Amino acid sequence: MNAENSSAVPATKPKKMVSGNPADRYSNAGPSPDPWEQCARLEYGHDRSYAWTVREQVIATPPEGRTRLEEKILTALATSGRTDAGLAFLCQMLAMIGSAQCVPALAPLLRAPASAEAARYALEPIAGPAADAAFRDALSALTGSAKAGLIGSIAIRGDRSAEPLLIALKNSSGEPAIVREAATRALARLTTFKA
Amino acid sequence: MNTPLPFTRRQFIQKSAVASAAITVPFILPSGLRSQNAPSKKITVGIVGCGNIADSHFPPLLGSPESVRVVAVCDVDSVRLAAGAARVNQAYGNKDCQTYSDFRELNQRTEIDAIFVCTPDHWHALIAIDALRHGKDVYCEKPLTLTIAEGRALVDTARKYNRVAQHGTQHRSMKRFHDVAEFVRNQGLGKLDRIDCFIPPNNRFCGATWTPEAVPANLNWDMWLGPAPWRPYNSKGCHYNFRFISESAYGQVTNWGAHYLDIGQWALGMDDSGPVEVEGHGEFPSSGLFTNCTNVNFTVRYANGVPMNCRTRFEGGGTVRFVGERGWLDISRDKMSASDNNLLREMQAPDKKISLPLSNNHHDNFFECVRSRQRPIADVGLGHRTTTVCNLGQIGMVLGRKLKWDPVKEAFIDDDVANRLRTRAMRSPWSLA
């Protein structure tokens, strides 16, 4: 113990200024994290409050604001350090509001085995030839189970221009049974498909 | 042991197609099984999913050995699978029950007549559709399917293959519910003002975060997830609790709503249609493993102007209440009450103008229909319509805005986001195609 110090007169603390503006009382909290960036780095099991905030925004935004919102999701998709859970979440948001605008960003993800599931989740409900082409293009990149899933999506979308590719897959001895059977079912569905 | 049928599945389907073309009387389904024409023939059953829901099916199925025989069980949890098989073998005093960890192998057994689907909701459609394609009759637990698109696909498949397909909403086979629905349908309450459905709360809770865990050696987690989006295993998010996670189910909206909203549909005569509008304002957890609504609050409205409300009741359990100009009727599994006891007496009066079909036992009704090829009391067609009402409520609460619904086209009017929520992409390799 330091006697000299203990007998010293304590320094006077500066008086805290109280602002009349309620918002100023929270100025020490610092800037809020960007919820979009937080979503991209979401981990399974972690607090998903930021994702909830973004989800609420996606749901509540009227049609005229969705293009801008889609751009924000695509920006978030490109966040460095994006996690698997983050990718899955962002693709779930695109599954609700995504348009042809997001196909160029999703197409490469659809071709990569690690991201194909999430990308397919986002792309399957997006109507139009651009998304159709992305699905057909990914057929040459994926194998096995992922390829069967891709074929299923093509059938659900009703892309009849994929029929030649599907016939080839159905008859290919180089493909595993899971792919050939998926192609067979897809062709049967396309025959009776109604938009 | 059961004797294999004298023809293959493919022959059976060909025979079915021929029989189907010859049928002119509605609602009579062609028998695919030659032996079913003999009333003494035992109906052979396979059970897919040996957990909580199957618990309620084993006793009646194993208790009718003279007419029904469980020959196979399937589960992706080897502990549950072994327990299910042991239960069957103990009842029959043998070791004949076949076990499967993949429903597709079970469905390929040609000597099985009917499949009971007792899995988590996200699996219902795919397992039932595969069984129907293999010529099986199907008893599918409620809710019939997870999404509206799955329900339509399931009904279309049942019709295409002319199979008997029962929805596991057993209130349809309880006289009390029948009597109330029939009474309301015959204007017993006068002009109907509204229907109030109360459903129990989500009864399990977990924190705002959770930790991925190692998958138990007895569980095939990949197969358990099946078409649902991948997530790491956590013991609180698997058996039973799956119903609180929206990737697998819609909580009590589909768990109990499938029962009580179903009686509303029946009383309104909406078995082949549905509401035209929905508006919901539920409360959802903003974090944590469980994602489904903790405080359900939605209203669907029918073309005749009658609203059906669905609310969480935190104490007191589920019930459906019909409110009309002559008073109200309240009915649950345990009791029935009315604003005036005279209404209860009037309900028992014979010779009503509109008579609803009567079944006193949901299993018996299913097996009778397997033999007679009639459509069952809770045919999948009406099961799909009821499950759609549950889905409308869920989508209405998720979006939090009033939505217009076209029950003929089975589509929302002028709301692209709502329409996208009628379906979802399935995880590879699974597909509705």
Side-chain angles (χ1 to χ4, degrees):
Chain A
M1 186 152 180
N2 186 323
E4 191 178 346
N5 284 350
S6 65
S7 62
V9 178
T12 309
K13 284 185 179 174
K15 198 173 180 183
K16 208 171 186 178
M17 295 292 291
V18 178
S19 165
N21 182 352
D24 291 344
R25 296 175 199 169
Y26 304 101
S27 58
N28 289 339
S32 295
D34 175 11
W36 297 89
E37 215 173 283
Q38 296 295 316
C39 285
R41 295 180 180 142
L42 185 68
E43 294 284 2
Y44 288 109
H46 288 197
D47 189 318
R48 57 180 172 82
S49 301
Y50 289 108
W52 179 260
T53 306
V54 165
R55 180 179 174 276
E56 290 292 283
Q57 192 177 344
V58 168
I59 284 168
T61 300
E64 58 271 20
R66 286 181 195 147
T67 301
R68 174 75 190 109
L69 202 57
E70 197 176 349
E71 287 166 3
K72 293 184 85 165
I73 299 174
L74 293 176
T75 303
L77 268 179
T79 303
S80 89
R82 186 194 68 209
T83 59
D84 289 345
L87 173 64
F89 170 77
L90 293 168
C91 285
Q92 284 168 14
M93 297 303 102
L94 287 174
M96 285 198 279
I97 63 159
S99 70
Q101 178 186 209
C102 67
V103 174
L106 290 174
L109 297 174
L110 189 64
R111 290 176 60 87
S115 54
E117 286 300 315
R120 193 165 60 79
Y121 199 95
L123 276 168
E124 190 177 288
I126 297 174
D132 282 337
F135 276 100
R136 291 194 303 271
D137 183 54
L139 281 173
S140 62
L142 298 178
T143 59
S145 175
K147 193 168 190 170
L150 198 65
I151 291 168
S153 289
I154 289 171
I156 293 293
R157 293 171 54 80
D159 177 16
R160 297 202 66 166
S161 65
E163 280 177 338
L165 290 170
L166 296 174
I167 291 169
L169 289 171
K170 175 189 167 189
N171 297 325
S172 170
S173 57
E175 293 288 351
I178 195 170
V179 171
R180 285 184 274 117
E181 286 166 11
T184 303
R185 283 197 305 274
L187 286 164
R189 174 157 179 130
L190 288 173
T191 306
T192 57
F193 181 78
K194 292 176 196 165
Chain B
M1 290 288 287
N2 293 286
T3 308
L5 289 170
F7 44 77
T8 65
R9 182 186 62 82
R10 180 166 296 180
Q11 288 169 326
F12 147 70
I13 289 173
Q14 287 169 348
K15 286 170 188 286
S16 297
V18 172
S20 171
I23 292 293
T24 55
V25 181
F27 304 140
I28 306 290
L29 308 171
S31 171
L33 304 174
R34 190 179 64 179
S35 51
Q36 279 177 8
N37 295 328
S40 60
K41 166 69 180 172
K42 288 179 184 177
I43 296 170
T44 51
V45 168
I47 299 175
V48 183
C50 297
N52 167 62
I53 287 293
D55 273 348
S56 61
H57 289 295
F58 275 119
L61 293 178
L62 297 174
S64 307
E66 69 287 351
S67 58
V68 175
R69 190 152 191 103
V70 178
V71 298
V73 292
C74 175
D75 205 297
V76 297
D77 182 331
S78 61
V79 171
R80 290 182 171 218
L81 178 64
R87 203 166 174 173
V88 174
N89 288 334
Q90 186 176 17
Y92 296 149
N94 60 29
K95 293 182 179 176
D96 291 347
C97 183
Q98 297 292 306
T99 57
Y100 297 90
S101 56
D102 188 325
F103 68 93
R104 292 168 294 188
E105 294 173 15
L106 185 149
N107 283 342
Q108 283 174 4
R109 279 189 57 177
T110 53
E111 74 274 30
I112 293 179
D113 299 331
I115 300 293
F116 275 60
V117 181
C118 305
T119 61
D121 304 5
H122 63 260
W123 262 120
H124 285 183
L126 289 177
I127 294 170
I129 287 171
D130 187 66
L132 293 164
R133 285 173 174 166
H134 283 84
K136 317 299 184 197
D137 295 323
V138 169
Y139 183 114
C140 185
E141 259 299 339
K142 51 81 196 169
L144 186 68
T145 56
L146 180 59
T147 69
I148 294 171
E150 290 173 0
R152 176 43 57 200
L154 174 48
V155 174
D156 288 349
T157 307
R159 301 294 183 253
K160 179 178 178 181
Y161 291 96
N162 285 308
R163 296 292 88 199
V164 173
Q166 174 94 299
H167 187 212
T169 43
Q170 69 270 26
H171 286 184
R172 291 259 179 169
S173 293
M174 296 167 78
K175 189 168 186 307
R176 173 186 296 160
F177 288 100
H178 165 273
D179 290 353
V180 167
E182 193 174 74
F183 187 64
V184 172
R185 188 86 159 265
N186 282 282
Q187 304 285 312
L189 288 175
K191 186 174 182 299
L192 194 62
D193 180 51
R194 69 176 194 275
I195 303 171
D196 294 329
C197 292
F198 293 96
I199 56 175
N202 291 349
N203 56 359
R204 301 281 172 91
F205 303 93
C206 66
T209 60
W210 54 281
T211 306
E213 298 169 3
V215 179
N218 54 293
L219 181 68
N220 183 340
W221 178 239
D222 183 69
M223 196 65 174
W224 188 95
L225 284 172
W230 187 87
R231 68 170 185 273
Y233 172 80
N234 179 283
S235 53
K236 288 181 180 172
C238 187
H239 298 319
Y240 187 83
N241 288 358
F242 68 82
R243 70 192 70 244
F244 306 127
I245 300 172
S246 57
E247 278 81 7
S248 290
Y250 295 141
Q252 304 297 13
V253 173
T254 39
N255 191 35
W256 279 101
H259 283 305
Y260 287 112
L261 295 165
D262 184 54
I263 300 305
Q265 281 271 108
W266 201 12
L268 288 169
M270 286 286 115
D271 279 348
D272 196 29
S273 186
V276 295
E277 185 181 288
V278 61
E279 187 167 18
H281 302 284
E283 294 169 15
F284 293 82
S286 59
S287 192
L289 178 61
F290 297 163
T291 51
N292 277 326
C293 190
T294 52
N295 192 3
V296 170
N297 183 355
F298 69 83
T299 298
V300 293
R301 191 177 296 274
Y302 291 83
N304 64 0
V306 174
M308 180 155 67
N309 305 307
C310 186
R311 309 272 185 274
T312 296
R313 175 182 277 172
F314 288 94
E315 298 290 339
T319 182
V320 55
R321 174 175 288 203
F322 295 90
V323 183
E325 59 187 353
R326 296 188 64 216
W328 54 261
L329 280 167
D330 197 297
I331 180 170
S332 67
R333 281 190 187 175
D334 306 326
K335 61 182 178 182
M336 183 159 64
S337 56
S339 56
D340 180 344
N341 282 340
N342 284 328
L343 292 172
L344 300 177
R345 281 190 281 275
E346 285 178 32
M347 198 186 301
Q348 301 307 321
D351 302 329
K352 293 188 177 67
K353 189 176 175 185
I354 299 171
S355 179
L356 297 183
L358 182 63
S359 155
N360 290 321
N361 184 294
H362 220 47
H363 286 98
D364 289 352
N365 173 263
F366 174 63
F367 291 122
E368 284 162 16
C369 291
V370 168
R371 292 181 190 282
S372 70
R373 312 313 295 165
Q374 301 275 341
R375 285 206 184 149
I377 187 82
D379 173 70
V380 286
L382 63 90
H384 166 57
R385 291 297 187 168
T386 291
T387 307
T388 294
V389 177
C390 300
N391 269 263
L392 295 184
Q394 170 73 8
I395 295 169
M397 289 191 298
V398 164
L399 297 183
R401 55 181 176 255
K402 188 180 282 188
L403 301 167
K404 300 286 185 188
W405 174 252
D406 181 338
V408 177
K409 293 180 180 171
E410 297 190 66
F412 291 98
I413 299 168
D414 296 333
D415 197 308
D416 295 337
V417 176
N419 275 325
R420 288 192 182 190
L421 294 176
R422 292 175 302 165
T423 187
R424 59 174 68 168
M426 292 182 168
R427 195 168 66 98
S428 293
W430 307 104
S431 169
L432 275 181

